[in-house]
Amino acid sequence: MLSQCANPECGKPFVKLREGKLFVVEKADCAQPRRQKRSIEHYWLCDECAPTWTLVYDLRGISVVPLRRPMALAGPEGRTAQANVRSTVR
């Protein structure tokens, strides 16, 4: 269950799904090469952090990184796309 904003500098409590930005991350467990076990994790950025920050997933885990341009100014070509991180805007 989500409890707070994924930005470690923020920590705003998660109260309503329609506020902020929800991220769905599918992880594969590479410890079992023949049968990869997959798990789904959810992360959330609050209304204050979502316009300027996004989440990326790499071998170290989830990281909060700044958007290249603020969301209010970004068009479809300016959004950060990650193959393994899917964002759901509510």
Side-chain angles (χ1 to χ4, degrees):
M1 180 70 189
L2 300 171
S3 62
Q4 66 184 29
C5 181
N7 183 352
E9 300 296 320
C10 175
K12 181 178 179 181
F14 175 75
V15 179
K16 297 178 183 174
L17 187 59
R18 67 175 177 244
E19 295 176 357
K21 193 172 186 180
L22 181 67
F23 293 81
V24 180
V25 179
E26 182 179 12
K27 293 183 175 181
D29 182 7
C30 297
Q32 301 173 358
R34 290 185 183 198
R35 294 183 127 191
Q36 286 188 344
K37 183 178 178 183
R38 298 189 181 275
S39 64
I40 303 281
E41 293 187 14
H42 296 84
Y43 297 88
W44 174 76
L45 288 174
C46 70
D47 281 342
E48 294 174 18
C49 294
T52 54
W53 298 93
T54 191
L55 300 180
V56 294
Y57 174 70
D58 60 17
L59 296 176
R60 294 171 289 177
I62 294 293
S63 301
V64 179
V65 297
L67 288 169
R68 290 185 181 164
R69 293 189 281 162
M71 216 188 271
L73 302 175
E77 71 284 348
R79 296 191 180 151
T80 304
Q82 296 292 325
N84 53 354
V85 177
R86 187 174 64 230
S87 170
T88 307
V89 178
R90 299 272 179 198

